[in-house]
Amino acid sequence: MRQYSKLLQQLTRKSIEHRIASLLQDSSTQQHLLQVHAFYVKTCPGRNNFLHAKLLSAVVSLSPPNDLQYARSIFDSFSMPDTFIWNTMIRAYLNAQKPRESVTLYFQIRLQDNVLVDSFSLSLVLQACARLMDSENGQKLHALIAKLGFGPDVFVQTALIEMYAKCHCLEDAGKVLDHMEKPDLVSYNVLLAEYVRIGEIELAHELFNRMPERDLVSWNTIIHGYASLSEVRSAPKPFNITNEQRQQSNEALRLFHRMQLANVVPDKITIISVLSACGNLGALGMGRMIHEYVEINGIEIDMKLGTSLLDMYAKCGDIDSSVKTFKNVNARDIFTWSVMIMGLANHGLGELALEYFSNMIAEGLKPNDVTFLGVLSACSHIGLVEEGWKYFKSMTSVYGVAPKIEHYGCMIDMLGRAGLLQEARELIKSMPFAPDAVLWRAILGACRIHKNVELAEEATVNLLELEPHVDGNYVLLSNIFSQARKWDNVVDLRRMMRNADIHKVPGSSSIEVGNAVYEFVAGDKSHPKSDKIYEMLDEILHSIRCNGYEPLTTSAIQDFAEQEKQNALAAHSEKLAIAFGLLATAPGTPIRIFKNLRICDDCHLAIKFISNLYHRKIIIRDRNRFHHFEEGSCSCKDYW
DNA sequence: ATAGGGTTAG
């Protein structure tokens, strides 16, 4: 009888434990979990490390990010945690972005008498050291690993590679990989990803080429490396992309091609990187093909893919498709909205951008600093000064977003272009940042439009002090002087440039026809059909003159005779690209041009006439924004 | 258990 009762007791306990285990498995909210925890404490007074560990895992996985207090209290209630339990807690801290705690906990294991670290503990603590860039502890661990005999463990070795790479000990990272007996593909991929992350794209490519094999992750990593405008070496600036960055985006597309030749099937992540390369290059044709690929292969357009698609369309000048994609995407977060707002702003659709902003707020999303860059540049592009001030002030007072110098940049541009130069100057004085070159350039640009010599002088001095080697600054100044017919100053500037060995980056315009991109610089004669293009250009210029176009020779920077100035203007790269576009595309097709510098006044005027006379939409992305020319007018309403 | 993805002033 007594035995029976004991058995019954045991059975009851087993069944309760079983019940708790399954309740833990099913817990999907913290609320629910708390109830199970209470039930567990009440019904299972005895110690059961297995069940207790399950509870800890459940609590960890349901903990809010960065808050591990509850998990920690459970961890602390173990009387004798085993290695697995220690590791669980170390991993929890790592995932909660608290690597410091992971390291502390690891060293506590080492103080325990009855617990040994295993390969899990070691790779976890190495990852923590990596995030902390703690190469000192990392190196000590490396020595200990050898001593404890974990040398051949692939996971530990891979963690060592990551640790060294993140600590910028690239040689050591490479050495670990080279000395591995049987290096895992993952070990290569880790090093590859780290090279990419720190902007060592050449090292990454070299490693990629000599890897014994490459999987989808390897391809995605290297393609991402080339597609993303490296944040390490220069700030991301899709609209005034450097030549080097353009070559890198082209390389991303080449690698994408190679990947398909290697029979590796691209996934969502590949597509996102490739779309970003398309956006950088303005390669609309390629971007559309990728979109088709997504549709044909039934790849789900999730939030991130949707965001990158609509970003691609906006950056390639097809704002209608961008908005369409935005409306079709199944979920939108602050990225999706910010990208859309920025896209609309860049296309001069400021009112719509502001409408989107208020819809976003109505949906309960919290704007961030990037969102406000979109909102403020929307205001500055269309000259909405009062609105701009309102949004700028609301950043701190309503949304708790601290304005950065970029936001002041938008404001100063907005005020300057609206002619409120004094107000712009006051804002520079009152802001909590030292003004950068961008701000002075914005002021200088405004001085050019509004002919304010006094402020121009101050801006010039400051600009040349901050950026004495940037060719564009001299060009801008030279434009201002020639507009004012101060030829002596123009000559001085040219001498300064010569002495400092500064060369003007030539303006270039590119156009996509068929599957190829054609690039023109001013006076370009390199195209095989160059004769035909110039013939077309002559015809165009003649026709628009008959319709009232007068060359705006103030756009010519040099002190030439009138006729020479006109000739120089006539062969501007955007005009050549348009002449080619009119020849090479069917009547009625929109012409899309990408220019590396800002469009000049004369070209802007000429293109208005061309769009009218030839009944073509002409869309130009310059280094600042889009211009949509149609039936004789431009979407910027000549405000740029 | 280790690896890869979307925004950024002028």
Side-chain angles (χ1 to χ4, degrees):
Chain A
M1 200 58 202
R2 237 158 81 205
Q3 278 197 332
Y4 266 132
S5 111
K6 201 172 171 191
L7 187 63
L8 197 65
Q9 220 179 348
Q10 237 172 27
L11 273 175
T12 314
R13 214 184 104 208
K14 278 276 168 236
S15 101
I16 287 175
E17 283 175 7
H18 188 78
R19 177 94 187 102
I20 290 171
S22 88
L23 280 171
L24 283 171
Q25 195 90 46
D26 295 342
S27 286
S28 55
T29 63
Q30 232 197 351
Q31 197 59 40
H32 189 199
L33 194 57
L34 279 167
Q35 288 167 1
V36 181
H37 187 187
F39 181 62
Y40 169 62
V41 170
K42 209 156 61 182
T43 56
C44 284
R47 215 156 271 130
N48 179 335
N49 245 6
F50 176 76
L51 206 53
H52 208 124
K54 272 227 173 312
L55 176 67
L56 176 62
S57 300
V59 170
V60 166
S61 67
L62 285 178
S63 284
N66 303 330
D67 181 11
L68 289 177
Q69 281 195 10
Y70 184 22
R72 182 61 195 245
S73 71
I74 300 205
F75 174 77
D76 288 337
S77 68
F78 282 99
S79 55
M80 292 246 292
D82 60 19
T83 309
F84 180 87
I85 289 157
W86 281 97
N87 291 346
T88 302
M89 200 62 219
I90 293 178
R91 186 180 302 109
Y93 278 126
L94 192 63
N95 293 336
Q97 319 300 338
K98 293 189 163 108
R100 177 73 57 204
E101 309 294 323
S102 302
V103 175
T104 309
L105 228 49
Y106 167 85
F107 283 113
Q108 281 174 23
I109 310 184
R110 301 278 294 148
L111 299 175
Q112 310 291 313
D113 288 334
N114 306 315
V115 189
L116 294 172
V117 297
D118 63 5
S119 60
F120 288 67
S121 337
L122 288 166
S123 49
L124 287 165
V125 70
L126 280 170
Q127 285 179 71
C129 291
R131 300 227 191 129
L132 295 164
M133 302 205 4
D134 180 357
S135 58
E136 209 173 299
N137 273 319
Q139 273 168 346
K140 284 183 194 153
L141 285 161
H142 194 170
L144 180 75
I145 284 160
K147 208 175 90 184
L148 295 180
F150 285 102
D153 190 287
V154 187
F155 288 90
V156 173
Q157 293 296 312
T158 304
L160 268 175
I161 294 173
E162 190 185 352
M163 182 276 294
Y164 277 127
K166 278 219 163 78
C167 294
H168 293 212
C169 305
L170 298 187
E171 263 183 47
D172 293 302
K175 254 190 235 162
V176 175
L177 182 71
D178 291 339
H179 290 156
M180 278 175 82
E181 235 172 81
K182 245 186 95 212
D184 199 58
L185 179 51
V186 177
S187 319
Y188 279 99
N189 284 345
V190 165
L191 189 55
L192 189 67
E194 286 308 316
Y195 281 159
V196 162
R197 205 183 51 80
I198 58 184
E200 290 286 352
I201 193 70
E202 288 88 4
L203 279 177
H205 205 160
E206 194 239 325
L207 179 65
F208 181 81
N209 283 336
R210 69 179 161 88
M211 284 166 64
E213 50 173 344
R214 290 154 205 96
D215 66 358
L216 180 59
V217 175
S218 331
W219 284 99
N220 285 349
T221 307
I222 192 74
I223 291 176
H224 167 74
Y226 277 105
S228 65
L229 306 178
S230 172
E231 288 174 34
V232 177
R233 279 181 290 192
S234 59
K237 316 170 193 169
F239 274 61
N240 65 41
I241 181 169
T242 64
N243 256 335
E244 193 198 351
Q245 288 172 323
R246 222 171 46 189
Q247 278 165 21
Q248 294 198 353
S249 287
N250 270 317
E251 183 62 28
L253 296 186
R254 270 199 296 278
L255 281 161
F256 177 56
H257 188 64
R258 262 180 68 194
M259 168 183 186
Q260 284 164 303
L261 293 179
N263 283 324
V264 179
V265 180
D267 69 355
K268 216 176 273 188
I269 296 178
T270 328
I271 299 294
I272 286 173
S273 293
V274 174
L275 285 172
S276 133
C278 291
N280 296 338
L281 295 166
L284 180 60
M286 183 71 182
R288 280 180 177 150
M289 272 168 54
I290 305 288
H291 193 175
E292 269 172 45
Y293 179 94
V294 168
E295 304 266 314
I296 290 166
N297 291 282
I299 296 175
E300 182 214 6
I301 300 186
D302 63 9
M303 208 159 59
K304 287 185 179 177
L305 179 51
T307 305
S308 101
L309 254 180
L310 75 92
D311 187 41
M312 178 279 293
Y313 277 123
K315 285 185 180 148
C316 291
D318 187 350
I319 192 67
D320 293 341
S321 298
S322 180
V323 171
K324 209 169 133 191
T325 308
F326 177 85
K327 289 182 174 160
N328 285 338
V329 74
N330 50 20
R332 308 176 186 105
D333 67 359
I334 193 65
F335 273 71
T336 323
W337 284 99
S338 303
V339 170
M340 190 71 258
I341 290 168
M342 185 63 85
L344 293 167
N346 283 333
H347 282 269
L349 300 167
E351 291 90 350
L352 200 53
L354 297 178
E355 208 178 300
Y356 272 69
F357 178 76
S358 63
N359 291 341
M360 184 195 90
I361 298 298
E363 286 198 9
L365 274 105
K366 199 180 159 339
N368 63 22
D369 53 336
V370 181
T371 322
F372 278 108
L373 283 183
V375 169
L376 296 178
S377 80
C379 296
S380 93
H381 283 322
I382 56 173
L384 282 180
V385 175
E386 250 177 71
E387 294 285 276
W389 269 122
K390 194 189 90 189
Y391 286 108
F392 181 71
K393 285 177 180 156
S394 77
M395 286 179 71
T396 21
S397 65
V398 182
Y399 302 104
V401 179
K404 299 208 247 180
I405 193 157
E406 289 92 335
H407 300 97
Y408 283 92
C410 289
M411 291 301 288
I412 280 144
D413 180 56
M414 176 187 85
L415 295 168
R417 283 201 292 186
L420 302 166
L421 282 157
Q422 232 23 67
E423 217 173 306
R425 182 69 190 92
E426 290 305 313
L427 190 59
I428 287 190
K429 274 185 192 150
S430 70
M431 70 181 189
F433 304 98
D436 63 8
V438 176
L439 295 190
W440 291 119
R441 204 159 30 238
I443 292 279
L444 208 50
C447 291
R448 185 180 78 92
I449 301 170
H450 299 286
K451 314 222 178 343
N452 182 326
V453 181
E454 202 181 315
L455 194 48
E457 272 173 27
E458 187 195 2
T460 302
V461 170
N462 286 302
L463 182 58
L464 291 186
E465 192 177 317
L466 287 164
E467 279 187 355
H469 297 295
V470 174
D471 60 304
N473 296 336
Y474 294 88
V475 176
L476 176 57
L477 281 169
S478 174
N479 273 327
I480 292 175
F481 287 136
S482 48
Q483 204 173 37
R485 310 199 170 276
K486 295 190 169 180
W487 308 118
D488 291 350
N489 295 24
V490 176
V491 171
D492 284 348
L493 270 175
R494 222 172 294 155
R495 195 179 47 235
M496 281 170 77
M497 285 180 78
R498 207 169 35 240
N499 290 343
D501 202 25
I502 294 162
H503 301 275
K504 179 181 179 297
V505 172
S508 88
S509 299
S510 55
I511 175 169
E512 193 182 44
V513 176
N515 280 326
V517 174
Y518 301 86
E519 191 178 345
F520 296 87
V521 293
D524 204 325
K525 297 237 160 83
S526 64
H527 193 280
K529 289 185 180 160
S530 188
D531 289 349
K532 283 250 178 288
I533 295 170
Y534 277 92
E535 236 172 73
M536 184 67 188
L537 184 57
D538 277 344
E539 187 194 311
I540 294 169
L541 291 173
H542 178 73
S543 311
I544 60 176
R545 273 202 176 140
C546 293
N547 278 269
Y549 160 72
E550 293 273 355
L552 273 172
T553 42
T554 43
S555 297
I557 58 165
Q558 286 153 335
D559 178 20
F560 284 159
E562 184 64 18
Q563 187 56 48
E564 286 174 82
K565 281 194 218 166
Q566 288 192 18
N567 292 345
L569 285 178
H572 268 184
S573 63
E574 47 270 62
K575 295 197 184 85
L576 285 169
I578 288 172
F580 174 69
L582 284 171
L583 280 172
T585 61
T589 327
I591 293 176
R592 295 166 199 280
I593 309 276
F594 291 84
K595 181 155 197 221
N596 64 337
L597 307 174
R598 285 190 71 174
I599 188 170
C600 82
D601 294 297
D602 177 63
C603 285
H604 196 268
L605 179 65
I607 295 166
K608 284 195 279 184
F609 280 95
I610 297 170
S611 72
N612 195 28
L613 209 54
Y614 291 82
H615 300 293
R616 292 275 199 136
K617 284 188 190 174
I618 299 172
I619 299 134
I620 301 201
R621 173 174 124 174
D622 74 6
R623 70 185 303 166
N624 261 359
R625 58 168 293 165
F626 280 93
H627 297 262
H628 294 250
F629 297 91
E630 192 175 0
E631 305 297 336
S633 59
C634 178
S635 60
C636 75
K637 302 189 183 92
D638 301 334
Y639 190 84
W640 51 288

